[in-house]
Amino acid sequence: MRSGGATGHGYTFDTAYTMTGGRLGYRTNGNEVFLDDITLTVEALGTTLDVVGNTLTLNSPSVVGSLDVGAIRYSGNSLNHGRSTDASTGALLPSYGGLSLDYDLSSRTDLTAGGRSGEGLRIDHETTIHSASFLYRDDAHTLALRDMSGRYQISDLRLDVDHDWKGRPALALTLGTLEGDLHIGAIEMGANGKSVGQVNVSFLFKDQVFNGRTYTNAVYLQGGGHPDAGPQGLRMAAEWSLSLADLSYTEDGNRVIFSGLQSWGQGDITVNVTRDETRNGTRFYDGLRIGFDGVKAGYRINGLKVGDENAPLQGGTELLLALGFYPAYEFEMDGHITLAPGGATGEGLTVNSDIQLHNGKAAVIAAPYDEGSGDIPQKGLWLTEVEYDGHVREMTLDVTDEGLILGTGESWSTMDIGNVRVGDKSSGGSFGRLVLQKFEKGSTMTIVPGGAGDVCAGGVGSSASACAASGGIWQQRGDEGITIRLKQLLAPADGSGRKNAIAWETNRSSDGSGNAVNGTGTQLVLNDIYTSDGGDFDGDGRDDNTFGIRTDLSVDVYQTKVVKKTDGADSLGVTGNRGDEKIMDSSVAQGYRYVANPTPDEILDRPLGFAVKAESRFKELSINRVDLVHPVGGPQTAIYGIKMQNFDIKANLTATPIP
């Protein structure tokens, strides 16, 4: 330490240190999650501390360091405090896995007296990440985020002792704005460290009006988590306003942007470390429990852009519906997600959750909410008045030689959709009510680096020549990309109400306010849907169910052939004839032109698209019965049993803007 800071006064610090054998944890009611065997190295040279006016300024032009965590461990034994092994058995405590981080950054922090109202503290901070890498280790396997860089800036963060919006005393952190960006040069997984591609995120948190109400960014920290978990824990009354975020994904040099992501919400988040028990009538599980209490939230995406930020908005997010991703969703939420240590084998994660959603509005297909002139009512196909009750037991997450695997022990849910609307989410015409029940045992999802590889688009063939002979286009989509393999094992009804079923209800009666009353109309019910292998091959007296419905989704960003459908000018005034190809050309006004017979060089300028190659197949899918339900006569079975066998359905879709 020496005198003289950045302004000639103050102090300058040169710091270098190493910590080994560290432990850091969070403990509630005798249960704990902790980082074990921590090694930390830091070198910060030329750090200055100055008083500038009424502000204390800490400037760190260079901070280089590394962090290694041997294991993230869990204990449900109150005797284990400060131990890596169980005091009762001597066994090593179970682990979520380990992690490591390397970084080179610079930062500046300004501290000023004064809270949001009266006394308190104001913090303004900015950090530039020059380089960083992050690795998560599961046994001998690694999930790596490499070649990271970015920045973030916090403006007007206030620290007060105050009350939240319900009048509860709390430590209040209220934010002016938070903006920044993050670049991840490669996401690697699997035995060979193969890259999925690059990811870029930019974000801005600031106050904004959503649905006629202003949301801000604040967290009010309070003691006590879930009231039944014990007296210790953490409750965060949180409100957020993500004004704008763009998420882009680049693979093999091609880029797709999920543009105009916005999110908002308010509610209580509780944090406890719990163990497997029932207390005061509430079921708890081993692990770190994150609870949701009265959370009202939503998000929406404006659309996709393929190529760069100046590309036109387009649809395509509906291609991800198979993964449960909606282009827009508003909901109220209660429930919990509990993260336990250990995967299917060895280290990893185990998830148990119970989630309830109320008053949901989810878009299946949605037009942009902003076409360049400000917010407009978002049109689309909507699932509204949604009530959802979902449960997951023993879902494991592991990093393996193949990639990232999520395996579900058992899951069941009911989604009651009050109206399926077209157009406006509140007043659009309704197809009626839809009730979806799901019950799965042993389902898995595997995320594998690498997309579709070589594809014959528009034809059939395993080689370029065979593809061309069938009228198709041979596409070599590169080494990067993502393939998601789903195996859904639909279980037969178990007699407790858990089953796979679809019910469609129409012609419902209305109440005094004109709202449809559920259960008063006519229903078509596909009752007790399940998969099987088509026979009892292991001799246990029941049909085997190991194959299920298997779906492979390969996601790439790639060029595709787009042809004009009609003669004349399109909606942007570009003329061409039916059958002409769309060729991108930055030298013309709209950035493209139509060509009757493109040359090999022009073919290289075909438009980029968000490409999904999909294949679904099953051995046997059964519907136990099809019922017709009348509000007066009750259910009548129309069809006793349907069996579909040996289906194999393939699709190759590419979403591109069409003027």
Side-chain angles (χ1 to χ4, degrees):
M1 182 177 70
R2 59 188 180 273
S3 62
T7 63
H9 303 285
Y11 299 91
T12 297
F13 303 87
D14 293 327
T15 304
Y17 63 88
T18 299
M19 179 187 74
T20 59
R23 179 182 289 111
L24 174 67
Y26 179 59
R27 179 181 176 93
T28 68
N29 307 306
N31 313 307
E32 60 186 351
V33 170
F34 62 96
L35 310 182
D36 194 23
D37 190 19
I38 302 173
T39 299
L40 174 66
T41 63
V42 176
E43 181 181 78
L45 304 181
T47 298
T48 58
L49 181 67
D50 297 270
V51 177
V52 182
N54 62 351
T55 301
L56 182 65
T57 297
L58 181 67
N59 187 39
S60 300
S62 175
V63 181
V64 179
S66 64
L67 169 69
D68 186 86
V69 178
I72 306 171
R73 301 195 183 279
Y74 164 82
S75 168
N77 185 345
S78 60
L79 301 177
N80 289 339
H81 193 39
R83 301 173 58 95
S84 301
T85 57
D86 187 83
S88 302
T89 66
L92 198 63
L93 293 173
S95 170
Y96 293 86
L99 58 89
S100 60
L101 172 68
D102 295 286
Y103 56 88
D104 178 358
L105 54 86
S106 57
S107 68
R108 174 190 172 102
T109 304
D110 293 334
L111 304 176
T112 310
R116 191 63 62 188
S117 58
E119 296 179 336
L121 179 66
R122 171 173 174 162
I123 303 171
D124 295 277
H125 174 85
E126 57 183 295
T127 288
T128 299
I129 304 170
H130 304 293
S131 65
S133 63
F134 173 83
L135 282 72
Y136 168 70
R137 300 186 300 271
D138 177 357
D139 297 312
H141 309 288
T142 301
L143 171 65
L145 309 182
R146 301 191 187 276
D147 188 23
M148 299 168 64
S149 61
R151 64 169 189 90
Y152 65 89
Q153 181 174 358
I154 298 171
S155 299
D156 195 16
L157 172 64
R158 303 294 181 110
L159 182 65
D160 299 87
V161 178
D162 205 344
H163 294 79
D164 68 6
W165 57 82
K166 292 184 178 180
R168 298 171 295 188
L171 178 63
L173 291 88
T174 56
L175 178 68
T177 62
L178 168 61
E179 62 177 326
D181 56 74
L182 176 65
H183 167 78
I184 303 174
I187 302 176
E188 299 175 356
M189 64 178 72
N192 298 320
K194 190 174 180 182
S195 175
V196 169
Q198 301 178 14
V199 172
N200 288 273
V201 182
S202 62
F203 55 87
L204 172 61
F205 287 87
K206 72 171 185 178
D207 296 358
Q208 184 156 327
V209 176
F210 295 103
N211 297 329
R213 178 196 158 177
T214 300
Y215 285 84
T216 187
N217 292 284
V219 176
Y220 297 85
L221 301 177
Q222 304 160 26
H226 190 284
D228 293 337
Q232 298 175 344
L234 176 65
R235 179 174 291 266
M236 296 178 287
E239 182 175 332
W240 70 92
S241 172
L242 176 59
S243 178
L244 183 64
D246 285 344
L247 171 66
S248 70
Y249 168 61
T250 304
E251 56 93 12
D252 292 311
N254 301 320
R255 186 181 183 197
V256 60
I257 303 171
F258 295 82
S259 181
L261 171 63
Q262 295 183 320
S263 179
W264 60 94
Q266 185 186 74
D268 285 5
I269 311 297
T270 61
V271 180
N272 295 88
V273 186
T274 58
R275 57 177 171 266
D276 190 4
E277 61 179 343
T278 299
R279 296 182 56 154
N280 300 322
T282 300
R283 183 74 166 86
F284 294 100
Y285 301 89
D286 285 344
L288 182 67
R289 185 186 191 275
I290 303 171
F292 309 99
D293 187 358
V295 175
K296 297 182 180 180
Y299 72 84
R300 60 186 181 182
I301 288 180
N302 208 28
L304 294 181
K305 293 182 179 181
V306 180
D308 57 43
E309 292 85 352
N310 298 319
L313 280 171
Q314 64 175 73
T317 53
E318 59 273 8
L319 297 179
L320 300 179
L321 287 171
L323 303 178
F325 177 82
Y326 297 97
Y329 206 169
E330 299 173 22
F331 52 85
E332 300 173 14
M333 180 169 63
D334 296 285
H336 77 95
I337 297 173
T338 302
L339 307 176
T345 58
E347 295 181 321
L349 296 177
T350 295
V351 180
N352 291 282
S353 73
D354 300 280
I355 298 293
Q356 294 81 41
L357 301 180
H358 313 285
N359 300 320
K361 295 178 181 179
V364 177
I365 301 173
Y369 63 78
D370 185 349
E371 296 179 337
S373 302
D375 278 12
I376 57 176
Q378 202 168 8
K379 304 296 183 180
L381 176 63
W382 296 89
L383 311 179
T384 66
E385 295 90 60
V386 175
E387 300 291 321
Y388 174 83
D389 182 39
H391 309 270
V392 173
R393 297 292 179 266
E394 300 298 319
M395 182 176 79
T396 58
L397 186 150
D398 294 270
V399 183
T400 69
D401 285 342
E402 191 173 17
L404 193 65
I405 297 181
L406 286 83
T408 302
E410 187 174 73
S411 66
W412 67 98
S413 64
T414 298
M415 177 180 283
D416 192 332
I417 303 165
N419 286 285
V420 180
R421 297 187 183 276
V422 177
D424 185 83
K425 60 187 175 184
S426 299
S427 59
S430 174
F431 284 106
R433 177 192 181 202
L434 194 64
V435 180
L436 306 176
Q437 293 176 267
K438 293 181 65 177
F439 179 33
E440 300 182 22
K441 289 185 176 182
S443 297
T444 61
M445 178 173 73
T446 305
I447 301 175
V448 180
D454 296 340
V455 176
C456 182
V460 178
S462 58
S463 66
S465 58
C467 179
S470 70
I473 301 172
W474 187 251
Q475 297 180 345
Q476 294 177 305
R477 295 185 178 175
D479 296 325
E480 295 184 326
I482 303 175
T483 294
I484 300 172
R485 298 171 182 164
L486 304 173
K487 182 173 75 170
Q488 297 171 283
L489 302 180
L490 307 184
D494 68 352
S496 66
R498 296 187 293 184
K499 61 182 178 180
N500 296 283
I502 302 173
W504 178 34
E505 182 179 7
T506 61
N507 300 316
R508 291 169 291 173
S509 301
S510 300
D511 60 17
S513 301
N515 299 316
V517 179
N518 292 339
T520 62
T522 303
Q523 300 181 35
L524 173 66
V525 182
L526 306 182
N527 212 338
D528 192 11
I529 306 167
Y530 57 92
T531 56
S532 76
D533 297 345
D536 176 16
F537 304 109
D538 59 7
D540 66 352
R542 297 176 298 176
D543 282 359
D544 297 344
N545 190 11
T546 60
F547 192 86
I549 301 174
R550 300 197 179 186
T551 302
D552 293 344
L553 298 172
S554 296
V555 178
D556 294 276
V557 186
Y558 197 74
Q559 293 174 307
T560 189
K561 181 179 180 180
V562 177
V563 298
K564 202 168 187 303
K565 302 301 181 184
T566 58
D567 294 336
D570 61 24
S571 61
L572 297 181
V574 182
T575 60
N577 298 318
R578 176 184 171 87
D580 287 356
E581 267 203 58
K582 182 178 181 180
I583 300 298
M584 308 307 293
D585 186 347
S586 59
S587 67
V588 298
Q590 299 298 341
Y592 67 92
R593 52 192 171 86
Y594 292 109
V595 178
N597 296 297
T599 65
D601 287 341
E602 288 173 326
I603 286 176
L604 296 177
D605 292 323
R606 281 172 170 163
L608 285 173
F610 181 53
V612 176
K613 179 185 176 184
E615 181 179 9
S616 290
R617 56 202 185 277
F618 58 81
K619 291 184 177 180
E620 182 171 282
L621 179 67
S622 301
I623 304 174
N624 192 30
R625 64 183 187 275
V626 178
D627 295 335
L628 296 174
V629 183
H630 192 272
V632 177
Q636 298 292 328
T637 300
I639 300 176
Y640 286 94
I642 297 174
K643 289 189 181 294
M644 295 173 282
Q645 295 179 330
N646 300 322
F647 271 54
D648 191 343
I649 305 169
K650 299 178 181 180
N652 189 16
L653 306 174
T654 305
T656 60
I658 301 177

